[in-house]
Amino acid sequence: MLYSFWCYLSSTRTALLSINVAFLLAGIALKVAIQLTINTPVVSKINLLDSLDACSNALIPISIVGFAGAWMKNHTVLFMYLLCTFPLCLIQFSVSCSCLAADSNQIKTIIEAGWNRAGDAKRAEAQTKYKCCGLYHSGYVSDPLGHPPCSEQDCCTQAKVQHLCCINELNKSTISSEEIQSCPCTDFCMEKISDKFTVIVCSLGTSGLLLSFAEVAAIVLSIAMRDLMNLNFDRARALYR
């Protein structure tokens, strides 16, 4: 009987060790992916990525605690692991569901908020990277969703006459709507950024959702291991009493 308890305990311990190694690697991979994404202009100002980044930051030390608890067969460390993993699982599940449930209108709203928080330097970097001019239109007119000059874009360099959207005079409130509409640049950043951001959100949301399910499995394994350790100890004490 003790041998069978030892086998169950050993297999549960091995599974818990393995899943925490997987958590550590997944946390590092998720951290790298989010950091690469955050370096993208305008997208770096989006709060949803900050939430995912916080989850990846928490997953790495928690996985180390879980590995240590399973390796040492320590009740206290495993209990701390359970206390940390459960809220992380809930938060990560919520954030991942929010990512996967976001529709095109919500994504546009998120990008608008990111563009609004980004300064002219980030907006200019986005325009250069995506070869676009403005988020929705090519005029500033004191608009919080406005943009810096598009002088480096092909639409401006190839134009015979330098339009106001191509030079540093976009922040004048006297610009008329006709002048805005006559800008030669018609490739706007919203469509290009939203396409990229949709792929990012779906990928990170799917990864986070799978990790949250794996964290549920880790919680079950931790509880099972603690119970088996108690049973094993009680059986051994009864035999040698």
Side-chain angles (χ1 to χ4, degrees), residues 48 52 90-102 106 201 204-206 208-209 212-213:
L48 192 60
L52 289 172
L90 292 179
I91 295 171
Q92 193 158 311
F93 181 79
S94 301
V95 174
S96 300
C97 288
S98 299
C99 290
L100 295 175
Q106 290 172 326
V201 165
L204 293 178
T206 302
L209 193 63
S212 64
F213 289 142

Side-chain angles (χ1 to χ4, degrees), residues 1-13 73 228 232:
M1 185 64 71
L2 282 176
Y3 178 75
S4 109
F5 273 117
W6 182 86
C7 289
Y8 291 142
L9 178 60
S10 179
S11 59
T12 304
R13 176 172 176 260
K73 299 181 182 178
L228 287 170
N232 199 359

Side-chain angles (χ1 to χ4, degrees), residues 2 5 9 26 34 45 65 79 134 161 176 185 202 207 224 230 235:
L2 282 176
F5 273 117
L9 178 60
I34 292 172
K45 299 297 181 181
V65 171
F79 182 70
V161 179
S176 65
C185 300
C202 289
S207 301
N230 288 333
R235 289 281 179 148

